Amino acid sequence: MTTFGFIGTGHLGSMLVRKFVETGAIDEKDIMASNRDLAKARRLAAEAGIQVGSNRDVADQSDVIFLCVRPLDVKGVLGELEDLLVADKLLISVAVDFPLKELQRLCKARAARVIPSIACENLLGVSLLAMGNNAALQDKELIFSLFAALGDPVEVPEDHFEVLAD
């Protein structure tokens, strides 16, 4: 059984949680989320039936961790969790403008970046995916299966994200 954590429950993090649960891509009992505003995380938990914890709880108890924080906050969150983001964890960042190379430099977790479009909320969007050099084929398959529930995942070179996201 795979457990999933979401660090950051702003618009994008909340949308991913809600849609993964609604589509059955992830069972709500397998999701834990955190947010710097605990009330926001609790509202999402009440709506989606997930668990709430601290960033450290999420990183410790999850096999797959979605990093859904602002790019300016990524380094601080990774620093806080450095001892928990180990090689048997998969870290999926949705932060724009924070490259895989930096993610891999700051933690030992296997890494990937996904840029979902806003249309994923209507299960129609394209999600751009780039895999880190330490990610396994099973990681790619898992990410593709998750984001296929929200639309069309497409693997592209990370340096194409900006132009393709437009």
Side-chain angles (χ1 to χ4, degrees):
M1 178 177 77
T2 302
T3 54
F4 297 86
F6 289 80
I7 297 175
T9 58
H11 178 73
L12 187 54
S14 293
M15 183 273 291
L16 290 174
V17 168
R18 282 193 314 273
K19 293 304 172 180
F20 286 146
V21 169
E22 286 174 18
T23 62
I26 305 175
D27 191 299
E28 65 269 8
K29 71 178 178 3
D30 296 327
I31 297 176
M32 178 181 279
S34 63
N35 195 310
R36 64 181 172 203
D37 178 353
L38 190 55
K40 187 181 276 190
R42 286 185 176 146
R43 283 192 299 274
L44 178 61
E47 178 185 343
I50 65 169
Q51 301 173 55
V52 172
S54 68
N55 287 353
R56 289 191 62 80
D57 293 333
V58 168
D60 183 48
Q61 297 176 37
S62 302
D63 302 308
V64 178
I65 302 153
F66 285 84
L67 188 59
C68 305
V69 300
R70 297 179 305 194
L72 292 174
D73 296 330
V74 171
K75 277 187 182 180
V77 171
L78 293 178
E80 170 193 352
L81 305 175
E82 182 179 7
D83 62 313
L84 298 172
L85 297 175
V86 294
D88 68 339
K89 307 271 185 177
L90 173 59
L91 179 69
I92 302 169
S93 174
V94 299
V96 179
D97 297 330
F98 202 92
L100 279 167
K101 176 176 68 174
E102 279 297 294
L103 287 173
Q104 294 174 137
R105 187 179 69 76
L106 295 169
C107 74
K108 292 180 176 71
R110 302 179 322 275
R113 283 187 63 206
V114 178
I115 305 299
S117 74
I118 195 68
C120 288
E121 192 152 16
N122 295 315
L123 309 180
L124 299 170
V126 172
S127 296
L128 305 177
L129 163 66
M131 302 300 296
N133 60 18
N134 60 350
L137 178 59
Q138 300 93 305
D139 298 330
K140 180 177 170 178
E141 290 169 350
L142 173 65
I143 295 168
F144 264 83
S145 71
L146 291 172
F147 283 89
L150 309 184
D152 297 310
V154 179
E155 185 174 17
V156 298
E158 184 182 29
D159 61 355
H160 288 58
F161 274 12
E162 186 174 342
V163 71
L164 292 172
D166 287 341

